[in-house]
Amino acid sequence: MTQVELQKREPVPRGLARTGPVILSYGFRPFFLAATVWGAMSMVLWILEVSLGLGLGGASGSAWHAHEMLFGYTSAALAGFLLTAIPNWTGRLPVSGQPLLALFALWAAGRLALLWPSALGETASLVVDSSFLPVLFLICAREIVAGKKWKDLKVLAALFALASGNAFFHYGNAVWGDIALPSRVAIAAYMMLIMIIGGRILPSFTRNWLRKRGITTLPSPYGRFDIVALVTALGALALWIADPQGWATGVACVAAAVLHAIRLARWRGWMTVAEGLVLVLHLAYGFVVLSFLSFGAAAFGWLEPIAALHVATVGCLGAMTLAVMTRATRGHTGLELRASGLTLASYAAMIAAGALRPITALLPDFHSEIVSLAGAAWIAAMLLFVAEYGPVLLTRRKELPSPRGSF
């Protein structure tokens, strides 16, 4: 049988077109690549803004920096994940080709519009940027409802909170000159997504890896304890959003930290130390625990609120998005599900960034030096991903269906 005949008989992977640009064949390709490129570029621009005063984002460069970390980089990583995971959950075709290009262009337009809002007009710039997450929400809602995956409606709830948080961020910055409240809304929504989806993929990937090695002591299945942990986390985050310095917030956040530490331990991540691709997911989830502890410490006045915020943004969001992007890229392009040296280096850089940035609260005399080191580590993590996976995302077309459990 000829190679052409073999290809005709092979099952065509969902959404992987045989023709057209590879980059538009699946949602993770353009969005993961753009997320990491922009993650590095926006950090470089922020460093230049602090040093030279470029006037990025109009009147408030610090607001632009916060926005691009929460709604620029992280929303792209989230879009890439959801556009890849939801077709696996529902069995429906993924967004690809021209519709994917249009969605990606909308995200990119937001990045350009917010660099210098005066060029397009401030109102028009904010409208352009605020359009991406609602459109992503509608796409995901259509697929989940059509696939009758009602248990995934909670993912839509978090995505709706993010879309609302983005619009609220712009309103707060323009009207009050204050972005603290909408930033907490966004961080809370991302953390809930990590806890919800993490509860699905971490034990699953860990179980698969352990079984392949004949290990019978497996992660605990999803049950009542997980529900209690998630409900407690939701309550703690709601209190943190409303009253970050309240004693009730501190108590609730410490309780959430304890429950999620136990939840993480139940997934037996220490048994995966031989494989960084699995272990890093557990390390990233560990930042969920550290985030709640930091919120609690800040509520009791033991830690600066900005330091607690960076534990969640750089540590929790940064580490988990990088872990998921590498895993999904390898799984959906036919690469071996094993972390390479470059991948491990990117993980180390991101974890270093997450650990370093909050230390400014403990060593204020070295604030600039620590921030510079943390920023350099973040940039390194992004660029290492681009160097290793950029060519794969742009050119490698997988010819067989993705393995079960790849998302």
Side-chain angles (χ1 to χ4, degrees):
M1 187 176 290
T2 66
Q3 182 66 27
V4 172
E5 289 172 330
L6 280 171
Q7 288 181 349
K8 287 181 179 179
R9 294 184 57 152
E10 288 173 355
V12 178
R14 288 202 309 273
L16 293 182
R18 297 289 187 180
T19 59
V22 175
I23 193 72
L24 297 178
S25 65
Y26 230 129
F28 72 92
R29 291 179 181 273
F31 280 108
F32 285 176
L33 183 57
T36 46
V37 169
W38 183 243
M41 286 182 59
S42 60
M43 187 62 72
V44 170
L45 287 171
W46 172 236
I47 292 171
L48 292 175
E49 169 68 21
V50 171
S51 304
L52 305 176
L54 302 178
L56 297 175
S60 176
S62 59
W64 174 86
H65 168 64
H67 183 274
E68 290 311 292
M69 290 295 101
L70 288 173
F71 300 106
Y73 162 77
T74 314
S75 71
L78 176 63
F81 170 78
L82 291 177
L83 293 174
T84 305
I86 289 176
N88 277 3
W89 300 345
T90 63
R92 289 170 55 81
L93 292 172
V95 176
S96 61
Q98 294 301 313
L100 177 57
L101 177 61
L103 181 64
F104 175 74
L106 185 58
W107 174 86
R111 311 286 62 75
L112 293 174
L114 293 186
L115 273 174
W116 286 283
S118 58
L120 184 62
E122 186 169 337
T123 300
S125 298
L126 300 187
V127 169
V128 169
D129 176 72
S130 298
S131 300
F132 172 70
L133 283 170
V135 172
L136 178 64
F137 171 84
L138 292 174
I139 291 171
C140 294
R142 179 194 66 187
E143 296 305 305
I144 288 173
V145 171
K148 299 181 179 179
K149 294 294 182 179
W150 309 121
K151 68 178 182 179
D152 294 319
L153 289 177
K154 53 184 174 288
V155 173
L156 289 181
L159 188 53
F160 180 82
L162 280 174
S164 302
N166 188 29
F168 188 25
F169 186 104
H170 289 313
Y171 179 85
N173 188 40
V175 177
W176 306 325
D178 184 6
I179 59 170
L181 179 58
S183 294
R184 292 197 298 274
V185 170
I187 292 167
Y190 280 125
M191 287 183 64
M192 285 306 304
L193 280 170
I194 288 171
M195 288 181 282
I196 291 167
I197 297 172
R200 175 182 298 187
I201 65 175
L202 264 75
S204 174
F205 292 165
T206 303
R207 188 177 298 112
N208 292 343
W209 190 85
L210 293 174
R211 278 177 174 166
K212 286 180 180 179
R213 283 144 190 85
I215 300 172
T216 57
T217 306
L218 302 174
S220 300
Y222 187 91
R224 291 181 180 177
F225 181 85
D226 298 271
I227 295 172
V228 171
L230 289 172
V231 170
T232 302
L234 180 61
L237 289 172
L239 287 170
W240 177 67
I241 290 170
D243 185 17
Q245 264 73 60
W247 69 267
T249 299
V251 171
C253 285
V254 171
V258 171
L259 289 175
H260 281 272
I262 296 171
R263 190 186 195 209
L264 180 59
R266 283 159 54 91
W267 295 334
R268 312 186 74 81
W270 66 87
M271 301 180 73
T272 67
V273 69
E275 180 44 62
L277 205 65
V278 182
L279 178 63
V280 70
L281 291 165
H282 294 266
L283 295 176
Y285 200 93
F287 274 104
V288 171
V289 177
L290 292 176
S291 296
F292 278 120
L293 286 175
S294 298
F295 296 160
F300 294 132
W302 302 337
L303 184 67
E304 289 183 1
I306 191 65
L309 206 69
H310 279 98
V311 173
T313 53
V314 182
C316 183
L317 273 59
M320 187 58 80
T321 51
L322 185 63
V324 168
M325 287 190 292
T326 51
R327 170 83 191 205
T329 299
R330 298 191 77 88
H332 286 274
T333 58
L335 296 175
E336 182 184 9
L337 289 177
R338 187 172 184 81
S340 66
L342 281 179
T343 295
L344 291 174
S346 70
Y347 294 162
M350 181 58 74
I351 291 171
L356 280 168
R357 182 57 183 85
I359 294 178
T360 55
L362 304 176
L363 300 172
D365 292 340
F366 299 95
H367 182 277
S368 297
E369 291 81 0
I370 294 171
V371 168
S372 297
L373 283 174
W378 172 278
I379 293 168
M382 298 292 107
L383 293 182
L384 285 167
F385 180 96
V386 173
E388 181 171 11
Y389 296 109
V392 174
L393 294 168
L394 287 168
T395 63
R396 184 182 175 95
R397 190 186 297 277
K398 188 178 178 183
E399 297 298 335
L400 294 174
S402 300
R404 297 297 297 174
S406 290
F407 289 134

